[in-house]
Amino acid sequence: MIKNAESGNYVRPLLGIKFVQKLIKARIANTVKGPDEAARATMPTFVWGEATNGRGEKKTARIRTANGYSLTITGSLAVIEHLMENQPTGGAYTPSSLFGADLITRLPESGDLVIH
């Protein structure tokens, strides 16, 4: 697997050529079709997670959000807006330390994070 990943380095210079980028984008546009806005509005995403600690204590969480395509758009815009309004100091951040643990619940069509 590492060898296959390293072989991508030989192709990388080609990806910087505008003509090659145009061909790739055209191929994607012709072959990859996501749902339109009306379809996305009727297709929410349901996320469920479970974690168990060393003592065997278990927590589950669930949330309903907008469709994954729509969530990606609104989430990305929320991150950009936050970074334009706030200048964090240099370093590494987790998403929750930078945006707050409740970012997902603040996005359009997201419900409350329910934890049991």
Side-chain angles (χ1 to χ4, degrees):
M1 189 165 40
I2 292 172
K3 291 282 187 201
N4 286 338
E6 288 174 344
S7 67
N9 289 330
Y10 298 113
V11 180
R12 187 179 320 224
L14 295 175
L15 298 177
I17 300 171
K18 295 282 186 198
F19 176 74
V20 173
Q21 289 179 9
K22 185 177 177 180
L23 286 176
I24 293 170
K25 288 176 184 178
R27 172 76 176 188
I28 292 170
N30 289 330
T31 57
V32 178
K33 301 291 181 205
D36 63 16
E37 188 173 351
R40 290 193 314 266
T42 64
M43 299 167 47
T45 297
F46 296 91
V47 180
W48 174 88
E50 182 176 88
T52 305
N53 67 14
R55 294 185 301 265
E57 299 167 330
K58 187 183 299 186
K59 293 284 186 179
T60 61
R62 58 187 161 87
I63 189 169
R64 177 183 192 254
T65 68
N67 177 277
Y69 287 93
S70 300
L71 187 68
T72 299
I73 294 167
T74 58
S76 299
L77 292 174
V79 168
I80 291 168
E81 182 178 340
H82 177 85
L83 292 174
M84 289 178 70
E85 294 173 0
N86 302 281
Q87 299 295 318
T89 58
Y93 296 89
T94 63
S96 65
S97 67
L98 194 56
F99 306 109
D102 64 340
L103 173 63
I104 188 75
T105 64
R106 298 191 317 252
L107 299 177
E109 299 180 52
S110 287
D112 292 330
L113 180 63
V114 178
I115 300 174
H116 298 283

